Amino acid sequence: MTDLAPAGPREVRRDRAVDLALAVAVTTVVAVAMTADSDGGSRPLDPFAYLFAVALGAPMLVRRRLPVAVLAVTFLGVCAYYIAKYPPIGLALPLGGALYVAARAGRLRWAVGAATAIVGLSLWFRIQRGGEDLRYMLLFDTLLTVAVMAASIALGDSHRSKAMWRAELQRTHDQEAWRTDHEARQRVAAERARIARELHDSIGHGLSVVSLHADVALESGDLGPKAAEAVGQIRRAGRQSLSELRTAVAVLRSPDTVTAPTLADVNELARHLETAGIGVIVDVRGDLALVPPGVSGTAYRIVQEALTNAVRHSHCDEARVALAVSDGRLDIEVADDGIGLPEGTPPALGHGIRGMTERAAELGGTLTTHVRTGSGFSVRAVLPLAGS
């Protein structure tokens, strides 16, 4: 896992400055170490020695994209430097930065393996060469090198853990914000629907009764010309008011516009969910233009509720919406990769599932739920295209 991409130009410039500073720091430290012990090797310092210092620092410029390559190049560079018999510069100084980079990128095994290999090779060559106090070498020099390398690896892994924790915290915050916003929208929509029902059931019923009695009075033929004209005006006004009421009820029933959302809006719904950290794959087979508006609107609501349940209850990372139009019907499946349920546990019949089932039944369709043991939940619906 490499570092996350910067969010903008300012972050890009900042990261490049940090990488350049690290490259200069490693180069400088290695060059100073060479100069400090210039008489310690069998080969005197020359311009090629300082090229090694540059070669060990330069990989830091690409540490974010190629952390393992940086570690490998640094490892081989250190080996080549000592094979050339230049003055000793230790192992922790030139390799510590690369070990940190690998651990920070989540390549902990690579970092530990490289550190173990370089220390092992160093010990083997020094023992073969002899002429040193092995106790000093093992107890002080090697232990100090191992301690510095271990600290570099631990620091990189710690920074990676903190970054992952922050990312998970942000993802949880985004999901919670999305759920809160969606639940608020649902409450508003439910209240609008309640008001619409009250208007339809009370005022709509009264206007219908008025129009009905006006029709009966006109058809009886017992009214005089003026009375008939007045009753006719009452009938026309009642019908016009009833039409306007139905338009107002339609507006109230739709949360945003008079036109209710359809399957054409599923991709927008998916994009909205992705802002909360849930990946949604939409797979369409067949021509959605063949789906009547009534069926399409019901299908959208089923998909919306199923995805909402996935976010709220399954703790999933990804959901898949499959829509297939064939043989005069629309097949819908919404599946997630969440926690699922223990084997033998039936899904709870909450308001969401009950509401989806009722929507499907209104069109003569069916809706079923499936629990994949420990690996997610799916909702499947079949809606006849003639159901609208």
Side-chain angles (χ1 to χ4, degrees):
M1 178 178 177
T2 57
D3 290 344
L4 295 177
R10 179 178 298 179
E11 288 76 9
V12 170
R13 291 193 296 270
R14 181 198 64 193
D15 291 343
R16 287 177 178 173
V18 170
D19 294 344
L20 180 60
L22 283 174
V24 172
V26 172
T27 301
T28 303
V29 167
V30 172
V32 170
M34 290 178 186
T35 306
D37 195 14
S38 59
D39 298 329
S42 59
R43 179 176 177 177
L45 289 178
D46 55 32
F48 290 104
Y50 291 102
L51 285 178
F52 272 107
V54 175
L56 291 173
M60 291 298 158
L61 297 174
V62 295
R63 68 185 184 93
R64 299 176 190 274
R65 298 191 300 274
L66 305 169
V68 174
V70 169
L71 179 62
V73 168
T74 305
F75 180 93
L76 295 175
V78 172
C79 291
Y81 178 86
Y82 279 104
I83 290 173
K85 298 182 179 181
Y86 283 115
I89 55 174
L91 298 176
L93 289 179
L95 203 60
L99 293 174
Y100 167 83
V101 167
R104 174 75 183 269
R107 303 295 192 265
L108 191 60
R109 292 183 179 179
W110 282 88
V112 173
T116 303
I118 197 73
V119 171
L121 285 172
S122 175
L123 282 174
W124 187 82
F125 278 111
R126 294 173 76 173
I127 292 173
Q128 291 296 316
R129 186 174 59 186
E132 295 185 53
D133 187 344
L134 293 182
R135 287 181 300 175
Y136 172 81
M137 180 182 68
L138 292 174
L139 294 178
F140 296 99
D141 189 23
T142 302
L143 287 180
L144 180 61
T145 299
V146 170
V148 174
M149 288 185 173
S152 299
I153 295 173
L155 183 63
D157 189 61
S158 173
H159 285 177
R160 173 178 175 270
S161 298
K162 288 182 180 179
M164 292 180 63
W165 177 77
R166 291 193 188 99
E168 182 62 25
L169 189 65
Q170 184 63 42
R171 178 176 179 270
T172 302
H173 177 269
D174 292 342
Q175 288 184 4
E176 186 62 31
W178 185 88
R179 283 197 296 267
T180 301
D181 178 70
H182 184 69
E183 289 171 358
R185 289 174 178 270
Q186 284 188 318
R187 287 194 294 270
V188 171
E191 181 63 17
R192 292 167 69 115
R194 186 190 67 79
I195 295 172
R197 285 194 301 270
E198 292 295 331
L199 286 173
H200 182 272
D201 293 345
S202 57
I203 301 176
H205 176 72
L207 289 174
S208 297
V209 171
V210 169
S211 297
L212 177 62
H213 283 288
D215 289 339
V216 171
L218 288 175
E219 291 175 1
S220 67
D222 297 332
L223 300 175
K226 292 185 177 180
E229 181 181 357
V231 172
Q233 291 178 351
I234 292 174
R235 181 177 64 176
R236 288 191 295 273
R239 288 179 176 177
Q240 182 179 357
S241 297
L242 188 59
S243 175
E244 293 174 355
L245 177 65
R246 286 170 178 166
T247 301
V249 168
V251 172
L252 283 172
R253 285 186 179 278
S254 179
D256 300 313
T257 62
V258 177
T259 303
T262 64
L263 289 177
D265 301 301
V266 168
N267 286 326
E268 181 64 28
L269 177 64
R271 283 192 293 270
H272 187 55
L273 270 173
E274 287 171 354
T275 62
I278 303 297
V280 180
I281 300 173
V282 180
D283 179 20
V284 179
R285 299 182 181 180
D287 188 1
L288 293 182
L290 299 177
V291 181
V295 178
S296 185
T298 296
Y300 175 88
R301 293 303 184 190
I302 290 174
V303 171
Q304 181 185 44
E305 184 62 35
L307 289 176
T308 301
N309 288 343
V311 173
R312 183 183 301 164
H313 302 300
S314 73
H315 307 290
C316 66
D317 293 316
E318 184 176 271
R320 179 176 177 272
V321 178
L323 305 171
V325 180
S326 63
D327 301 328
R329 70 181 192 182
L330 170 65
D331 291 283
I332 306 168
E333 181 178 12
V334 180
D336 62 69
D337 63 352
I339 58 176
L341 292 173
E343 188 172 2
T345 303
L349 189 60
H351 294 294
I353 295 178
R354 186 179 294 110
M356 289 187 289
T357 303
E358 291 173 353
R359 287 180 182 275
E362 287 176 358
L363 298 180
T366 59
L367 185 138
T368 57
T369 59
H370 300 267
V371 180
R372 299 195 300 275
T373 304
S375 62
F377 188 79
S378 67
V379 174
R380 297 176 184 173
V382 178
L383 304 179
L385 298 185
S388 60

